[in-house]
Amino acid sequence: MLTFALSKGRLADKIFEMLKQLNLCDINISSDDRRLVITNGNYTFFLAKPSDVPTFVEAGVADLGVVGKDTILEEKRDIAEVLDLGFGKCKICVCTKNEDTEKYKNILNLRVATKYPNIAKNYFDSVHQNCTIIKLNGSVELAPIVGLSDVIVDIVESGRTLKENGLAPATTISDLSARLVVNNASLKTKYEEIYNVIKGFESLVK
Ligand code: PRP
């Protein structure tokens, strides 16, 4: 028996499609499903908020999880990241107003609005720039427009949200995509079953 914690939201439809292709789940699950726990044969699936997937996997209530690299970097949980699933590709960037893509580097105490305070703080520490992190929960692009922050650290996928709001990516912090993660103890105690799942996902990625 293996248990998966899956991310609801943007990554969900592709995850469910892969599970079907691998014959791990033949029940129809959709991204707006209201069920939270679904059992199919030897597998149980939790549908969790993306930022909570690493928590379920670290605690061992889920053996495996599928989650974005952004969440892995932000949550810093003790889990094993075993495979890049190759979808949900995007970047996390420092973004600024169009006209200032370099100027932000000279601001002494940079005001940074973000949904990702750990990623943002780690990045500015790594380049030795002082900053004040302003945690927001969404529509982060608003912050520099209305004067709450100098820059944002946010996900850029198509780039449309930035463009439509007069902003631009200035520096890429990391490339992102969906990842398969595993509980460290399960990796030892259920090695064979988990290895087969990893091999299955790998065959879909290549
Ligand atoms: C994410 C991200 C950007 C947008 C980027 O927000 O925070 O705002 O998507 O996508 P794009 O480059 O394709 O325009 P999300 O849609 O998750 O909503 P939120 O801002 O309310 O969190």
Side-chain angles (χ1 to χ4, degrees):
M1 189 84 185
L2 284 178
T3 303
F4 289 73
L6 306 177
S7 299
K8 288 199 276 194
R10 279 183 188 228
L11 302 178
D13 288 338
K14 181 68 187 168
I15 299 171
F16 302 142
E17 188 192 312
M18 287 176 123
L19 291 171
K20 273 206 148 175
Q21 285 174 301
L22 294 172
N23 293 319
L24 296 177
C25 182
D26 52 28
I27 295 175
N28 279 326
I29 314 175
S30 77
S31 49
D32 59 357
D33 220 292
R34 293 294 186 270
R35 290 172 295 179
L36 298 175
V37 182
I38 296 165
T39 298
N40 185 220
N42 285 331
Y43 303 102
T44 296
F45 304 94
F46 298 162
L47 302 183
K49 197 176 148 116
S51 55
D52 294 334
V53 167
T55 309
F56 286 107
V57 175
E58 184 187 56
V61 292
D63 300 299
L64 298 115
V66 178
V67 67
K69 178 72 178 174
D70 51 330
T71 305
I72 296 172
L73 292 172
E74 182 61 24
E75 296 299 318
K76 299 197 277 190
R77 297 284 174 175
D78 185 13
I79 52 179
E81 182 188 322
V82 294
L83 187 65
D84 182 344
L85 293 169
F87 69 93
K89 286 188 179 175
C90 54
K91 293 173 177 207
I92 187 156
C93 300
V94 179
C95 309
T96 63
K97 289 191 187 157
N98 264 330
E99 65 278 11
D100 310 330
T101 52
E102 288 297 310
K103 272 198 258 169
Y104 83 89
K105 294 179 181 167
N106 301 320
I107 298 177
L108 288 182
N109 188 2
L110 189 71
R111 295 170 305 152
V112 183
T114 186
K115 289 184 281 190
Y116 299 94
N118 290 326
I119 295 177
K121 184 76 174 72
N122 287 345
Y123 173 70
F124 286 108
D125 283 351
S126 76
V127 295
H128 308 293
Q129 183 166 11
N130 281 333
C131 69
T132 299
I133 303 290
I134 301 158
K135 167 78 163 69
L136 294 179
N137 296 301
S139 303
V140 178
E141 293 81 0
L142 254 180
I145 299 171
V146 301
L148 179 69
S149 73
D150 301 305
V151 300
I152 62 173
V153 165
D154 201 15
I155 304 286
V156 182
E157 194 174 1
S158 65
R160 227 183 104 197
T161 313
L162 290 179
K163 203 165 175 199
E164 291 187 5
N165 290 290
L167 304 173
T171 305
T172 298
I173 297 176
S174 178
D175 290 317
L176 307 171
S177 56
R179 307 292 161 101
L180 185 63
V181 296
V182 183
N183 171 267
N184 285 317
S186 303
L187 201 49
K188 294 185 185 124
T189 56
K190 301 182 183 176
Y191 179 77
E192 212 161 299
E193 294 145 274
I194 289 176
Y195 180 79
N196 287 335
V197 169
I198 297 171
K199 282 283 150 207
F201 275 102
E202 220 169 35
S203 71
L204 297 182
V205 174
K206 282 177 181 162

